[in-house]
Amino acid sequence: MLSCVALMEANQGRLLAWRDFRGDVSRLALVDFGQRIIRTRETEVCPIATRAGSSFLFVREGDIFIVASTRLNANSLMAFEFLNALVHTIRQYFGGVLNSDKVRLGYTLLYAILDEAMDYGYPQVTSYNLLKDFILEKGMPKDPRAILALREKQKNLTLDVTGAVAWRRQGIAYKKNELFLDTIENVSALLTPSGEMLFGEVSGRIVMKSQLSGMPECKLGLNDKILMEQSDASAYGGGAGVGGVASGVGGPGEVSRPQAVANLGSKREVALDSLKFHQCVRLKHFEATKEIMFVPPDGEFDLVQYRLTESGQVKLPFKVVPAYHQPGRTRAEMTVKVRADYPPALAGYSVRIEIPVPKTTSAVKTEQTAGKSKYDKARCVVVWKISEFPGMTEATFNMGVSMLSTVADKAWEKPPIKLTFSIPMFTSSGMRVRFLKVFEKSGYAPTKWVRYLTQSSGNYECRI
């Protein structure tokens, strides 16, 4: 049970907007929290703060904090789940971006969302798919037929909100029924100078975009080790790949060519550390059968989030072996070899390798077997870019460094080499969709698409 929700500036702690639901936490308490906690950067220590008998729970989004306050012993996990859902909904209303400027320009819309999202401190409706039918961004339509259609939708709002499937409204219809499933993984790793892995972790999510008519039920199977032990994997087929219709998803022995390519880098079983499901997943059915059964919301949503932290289970897509040699005080040489350890049928794209150089560097001469490089003097790095990196190939980078002679020469700290990349149809965890089935009373056959993507945003490092 929460007392109020507020939005505050992250830099100065100013109060931008707030809605009081119970009347037991004053505006002055929020102002004091902004000046004493946010402005003094104490928010970097813990996401919960207590002042004058009031507890403040907060999450950051861009340059603002979304704060919930209570004077009772409220469920903190529920509060954070509510705040994250509220941020997601407001971001969708504000065009995908939530910042202080958007808040100042959209006070009316913001307060309408807060009024529907919570009532007397209890969370109510935080789904954008439901709110968009009665919180209208552009006001009432002028066309009489559009007004009648909107009224028909609003007649079922109470049933949609309070029914067993609150995340999906009745009467959804599409001319073409399609279901998109993307398995997106972010891999983090730390390699030794010889290319051996010291640390490896995969954080993944299965993103679904549903464009299905009616009230369909979907069944999804993964090659997670726990799931595989409970069911016979041979009873199901593979998924579809990029640009391929998943006609074989859910049928035995039918595997599309893109899916066969994806299977080259996958494992039969994956021992995941944790699984987090969307609220639409039937947990009791999952516990009993180890199959993910759900009625999907309309539009895009995160169906599953998972983690793999056991380094021995992580398959690294790139092996990096640097060699640094400094024959004199003003001269150094470095060679970096990068090998793609994924199947030759796959390719990595937008590969970016940042190679550090000493701060006293005056000139750099580079030579590479693939891509192009550029010296960034302000950041003291050489950026090596390869637009396309085929699997099971190797690229070599040679660099000569000229340095200025200084009075007090300090040993170079040798920051790590950093990689960013994107590899379609490959997963570092070996995650694979075994089957995807859709059941709907009208009996239509939807088009299903399944894709895989592994990427890194700078946490893939190799020591020199």
Side-chain angles (χ1 to χ4, degrees), residues 38 72 85 124 145 177-179 198 252 291 306 350 369-370 435:
I38 295 181
L72 303 176
Q124 300 296 313
R145 287 176 296 181
N177 294 288
E178 292 183 299
L179 193 61
L198 290 175
E291 295 175 347
Y306 60 90
S350 302
T369 58
F435 63 88

PDB file of all heavy atoms in Angstrom, residues 38 72 85 124 145 177-179 198 252 291 306 350 369-370 435:
ATOM      1  N   ILE A  38      18.296  12.958  -3.074  1.00  0.00           N
ATOM      2  CA  ILE A  38      18.605  12.971  -4.511  1.00  0.00           C
ATOM      3  C   ILE A  38      19.723  13.963  -4.824  1.00  0.00           C
ATOM      4  O   ILE A  38      20.682  13.634  -5.525  1.00  0.00           O
ATOM      5  CB  ILE A  38      17.334  13.307  -5.324  1.00  0.00           C
ATOM      6  CG1 ILE A  38      16.299  12.196  -5.167  1.00  0.00           C
ATOM      7  CG2 ILE A  38      17.682  13.500  -6.800  1.00  0.00           C
ATOM      8  CD1 ILE A  38      15.019  12.424  -5.938  1.00  0.00           C
ATOM      9  N   LEU A  72       3.689   2.837   5.838  1.00  0.00           N
ATOM     10  CA  LEU A  72       3.344   1.510   6.324  1.00  0.00           C
ATOM     11  C   LEU A  72       4.417   0.502   5.923  1.00  0.00           C
ATOM     12  O   LEU A  72       5.341   0.817   5.167  1.00  0.00           O
ATOM     13  CB  LEU A  72       1.988   1.089   5.767  1.00  0.00           C
ATOM     14  CG  LEU A  72       0.815   2.032   6.066  1.00  0.00           C
ATOM     15  CD1 LEU A  72      -0.444   1.547   5.365  1.00  0.00           C
ATOM     16  CD2 LEU A  72       0.579   2.144   7.571  1.00  0.00           C
ATOM     17  N   ALA A  85       6.536  -0.930 -14.097  1.00  0.00           N
ATOM     18  CA  ALA A  85       5.411  -1.003 -15.030  1.00  0.00           C
ATOM     19  C   ALA A  85       4.883   0.387 -15.363  1.00  0.00           C
ATOM     20  O   ALA A  85       4.512   0.666 -16.517  1.00  0.00           O
ATOM     21  CB  ALA A  85       4.292  -1.862 -14.419  1.00  0.00           C
ATOM     22  N   GLN A 124      -3.666  -0.581  -9.791  1.00  0.00           N
ATOM     23  CA  GLN A 124      -4.858  -0.959 -10.548  1.00  0.00           C
ATOM     24  C   GLN A 124      -4.485  -1.381 -11.964  1.00  0.00           C
ATOM     25  O   GLN A 124      -4.180  -2.533 -12.188  1.00  0.00           O
ATOM     26  CB  GLN A 124      -5.857   0.221 -10.577  1.00  0.00           C
ATOM     27  CG  GLN A 124      -6.322   0.670  -9.201  1.00  0.00           C
ATOM     28  CD  GLN A 124      -7.121  -0.407  -8.475  1.00  0.00           C
ATOM     29  OE1 GLN A 124      -8.006  -1.009  -9.048  1.00  0.00           O
ATOM     30  NE2 GLN A 124      -6.785  -0.647  -7.218  1.00  0.00           N
ATOM     31  N   ARG A 145     -18.314   7.558 -36.918  1.00  0.00           N
ATOM     32  CA  ARG A 145     -18.107   6.116 -36.930  1.00  0.00           C
ATOM     33  C   ARG A 145     -16.966   5.713 -36.002  1.00  0.00           C
ATOM     34  O   ARG A 145     -17.023   4.667 -35.345  1.00  0.00           O
ATOM     35  CB  ARG A 145     -17.813   5.655 -38.358  1.00  0.00           C
ATOM     36  CG  ARG A 145     -19.031   5.674 -39.272  1.00  0.00           C
ATOM     37  CD  ARG A 145     -18.679   5.305 -40.692  1.00  0.00           C
ATOM     38  NE  ARG A 145     -17.769   6.280 -41.294  1.00  0.00           N
ATOM     39  CZ  ARG A 145     -17.307   6.202 -42.544  1.00  0.00           C
ATOM     40  NH1 ARG A 145     -17.668   5.181 -43.316  1.00  0.00           N
ATOM     41  NH2 ARG A 145     -16.503   7.133 -43.021  1.00  0.00           N
ATOM     42  N   ASN A 177      -2.852 -12.889 -39.331  1.00  0.00           N
ATOM     43  CA  ASN A 177      -2.429 -13.260 -37.984  1.00  0.00           C
ATOM     44  C   ASN A 177      -0.967 -13.682 -38.006  1.00  0.00           C
ATOM     45  O   ASN A 177      -0.588 -14.625 -38.720  1.00  0.00           O
ATOM     46  CB  ASN A 177      -3.298 -14.404 -37.459  1.00  0.00           C
ATOM     47  CG  ASN A 177      -4.734 -13.965 -37.256  1.00  0.00           C
ATOM     48  OD1 ASN A 177      -5.045 -13.212 -36.342  1.00  0.00           O
ATOM     49  ND2 ASN A 177      -5.622 -14.432 -38.135  1.00  0.00           N
ATOM     50  N   GLU A 178      -0.142 -12.956 -37.219  1.00  0.00           N
ATOM     51  CA  GLU A 178       1.291 -13.228 -37.175  1.00  0.00           C
ATOM     52  C   GLU A 178       1.767 -13.205 -35.726  1.00  0.00           C
ATOM     53  O   GLU A 178       1.216 -12.507 -34.875  1.00  0.00           O
ATOM     54  CB  GLU A 178       2.071 -12.194 -37.987  1.00  0.00           C
ATOM     55  CG  GLU A 178       1.836 -12.262 -39.484  1.00  0.00           C
ATOM     56  CD  GLU A 178       2.691 -11.261 -40.229  1.00  0.00           C
ATOM     57  OE1 GLU A 178       2.528 -10.066 -39.983  1.00  0.00           O
ATOM     58  OE2 GLU A 178       3.516 -11.690 -41.064  1.00  0.00           O
ATOM     59  N   LEU A 179       2.843 -13.959 -35.474  1.00  0.00           N
ATOM     60  CA  LEU A 179       3.450 -14.022 -34.152  1.00  0.00           C
ATOM     61  C   LEU A 179       4.964 -13.986 -34.321  1.00  0.00           C
ATOM     62  O   LEU A 179       5.539 -14.830 -35.021  1.00  0.00           O
ATOM     63  CB  LEU A 179       3.024 -15.313 -33.439  1.00  0.00           C
ATOM     64  CG  LEU A 179       3.301 -15.408 -31.941  1.00  0.00           C
ATOM     65  CD1 LEU A 179       2.557 -14.321 -31.184  1.00  0.00           C
ATOM     66  CD2 LEU A 179       2.904 -16.777 -31.413  1.00  0.00           C
ATOM     67  N   LEU A 198      38.078 -15.738 -18.283  1.00  0.00           N
ATOM     68  CA  LEU A 198      38.089 -15.616 -16.829  1.00  0.00           C
ATOM     69  C   LEU A 198      36.677 -15.516 -16.262  1.00  0.00           C
ATOM     70  O   LEU A 198      36.399 -16.011 -15.168  1.00  0.00           O
ATOM     71  CB  LEU A 198      38.883 -14.371 -16.412  1.00  0.00           C
ATOM     72  CG  LEU A 198      40.388 -14.414 -16.609  1.00  0.00           C
ATOM     73  CD1 LEU A 198      40.984 -13.056 -16.268  1.00  0.00           C
ATOM     74  CD2 LEU A 198      41.017 -15.492 -15.741  1.00  0.00           C
ATOM     75  N   PRO A 252       6.766 -32.415 -35.673  1.00  0.00           N
ATOM     76  CA  PRO A 252       7.951 -33.267 -35.574  1.00  0.00           C
ATOM     77  C   PRO A 252       8.704 -33.345 -36.883  1.00  0.00           C
ATOM     78  O   PRO A 252       8.132 -33.564 -37.940  1.00  0.00           O
ATOM     79  CB  PRO A 252       7.371 -34.632 -35.179  1.00  0.00           C
ATOM     80  CG  PRO A 252       5.960 -34.601 -35.673  1.00  0.00           C
ATOM     81  CD  PRO A 252       5.510 -33.191 -35.591  1.00  0.00           C
ATOM     82  N   GLU A 291       6.060 -26.592 -19.559  1.00  0.00           N
ATOM     83  CA  GLU A 291       5.781 -25.922 -20.828  1.00  0.00           C
ATOM     84  C   GLU A 291       5.205 -24.543 -20.527  1.00  0.00           C
ATOM     85  O   GLU A 291       4.420 -24.383 -19.589  1.00  0.00           O
ATOM     86  CB  GLU A 291       4.789 -26.720 -21.672  1.00  0.00           C
ATOM     87  CG  GLU A 291       5.328 -28.066 -22.117  1.00  0.00           C
ATOM     88  CD  GLU A 291       4.288 -28.883 -22.844  1.00  0.00           C
ATOM     89  OE1 GLU A 291       3.093 -28.511 -22.794  1.00  0.00           O
ATOM     90  OE2 GLU A 291       4.670 -29.895 -23.464  1.00  0.00           O
ATOM     91  N   TYR A 306      15.964 -14.397 -18.691  1.00  0.00           N
ATOM     92  CA  TYR A 306      16.767 -15.457 -18.091  1.00  0.00           C
ATOM     93  C   TYR A 306      18.227 -15.030 -17.989  1.00  0.00           C
ATOM     94  O   TYR A 306      18.671 -14.068 -18.632  1.00  0.00           O
ATOM     95  CB  TYR A 306      16.647 -16.756 -18.907  1.00  0.00           C
ATOM     96  CG  TYR A 306      17.115 -16.650 -20.344  1.00  0.00           C
ATOM     97  CD1 TYR A 306      18.436 -16.901 -20.703  1.00  0.00           C
ATOM     98  CD2 TYR A 306      16.225 -16.299 -21.354  1.00  0.00           C
ATOM     99  CE1 TYR A 306      18.864 -16.803 -22.010  1.00  0.00           C
ATOM    100  CE2 TYR A 306      16.635 -16.213 -22.673  1.00  0.00           C
ATOM    101  CZ  TYR A 306      17.957 -16.465 -22.996  1.00  0.00           C
ATOM    102  OH  TYR A 306      18.381 -16.362 -24.297  1.00  0.00           O
ATOM    103  N   SER A 350      28.607  -5.243 -37.526  1.00  0.00           N
ATOM    104  CA  SER A 350      28.919  -4.044 -36.734  1.00  0.00           C
ATOM    105  C   SER A 350      29.905  -4.368 -35.616  1.00  0.00           C
ATOM    106  O   SER A 350      29.749  -3.933 -34.473  1.00  0.00           O
ATOM    107  CB  SER A 350      27.638  -3.436 -36.144  1.00  0.00           C
ATOM    108  OG  SER A 350      26.722  -3.102 -37.161  1.00  0.00           O
ATOM    109  N   THR A 369      43.918  -6.781 -41.590  1.00  0.00           N
ATOM    110  CA  THR A 369      43.549  -7.673 -42.690  1.00  0.00           C
ATOM    111  C   THR A 369      42.075  -7.552 -43.055  1.00  0.00           C
ATOM    112  O   THR A 369      41.660  -8.080 -44.092  1.00  0.00           O
ATOM    113  CB  THR A 369      43.851  -9.130 -42.311  1.00  0.00           C
ATOM    114  OG1 THR A 369      43.125  -9.473 -41.119  1.00  0.00           O
ATOM    115  CG2 THR A 369      45.341  -9.326 -42.066  1.00  0.00           C
ATOM    116  N   ALA A 370      41.289  -6.894 -42.222  1.00  0.00           N
ATOM    117  CA  ALA A 370      39.861  -6.722 -42.511  1.00  0.00           C
ATOM    118  C   ALA A 370      39.378  -5.443 -41.855  1.00  0.00           C
ATOM    119  O   ALA A 370      39.898  -5.015 -40.824  1.00  0.00           O
ATOM    120  CB  ALA A 370      39.048  -7.916 -41.999  1.00  0.00           C
ATOM    121  N   PHE A 435       9.511 -25.601 -29.732  1.00  0.00           N
ATOM    122  CA  PHE A 435       8.219 -25.590 -30.408  1.00  0.00           C
ATOM    123  C   PHE A 435       7.437 -24.368 -29.979  1.00  0.00           C
ATOM    124  O   PHE A 435       7.643 -23.806 -28.897  1.00  0.00           O
ATOM    125  CB  PHE A 435       7.415 -26.872 -30.121  1.00  0.00           C
ATOM    126  CG  PHE A 435       7.051 -27.060 -28.679  1.00  0.00           C
ATOM    127  CD1 PHE A 435       5.889 -26.518 -28.144  1.00  0.00           C
ATOM    128  CD2 PHE A 435       7.877 -27.801 -27.848  1.00  0.00           C
ATOM    129  CE1 PHE A 435       5.554 -26.699 -26.817  1.00  0.00           C
ATOM    130  CE2 PHE A 435       7.548 -28.000 -26.520  1.00  0.00           C
ATOM    131  CZ  PHE A 435       6.384 -27.441 -25.996  1.00  0.00           C
TER     132      PHE A 435
END
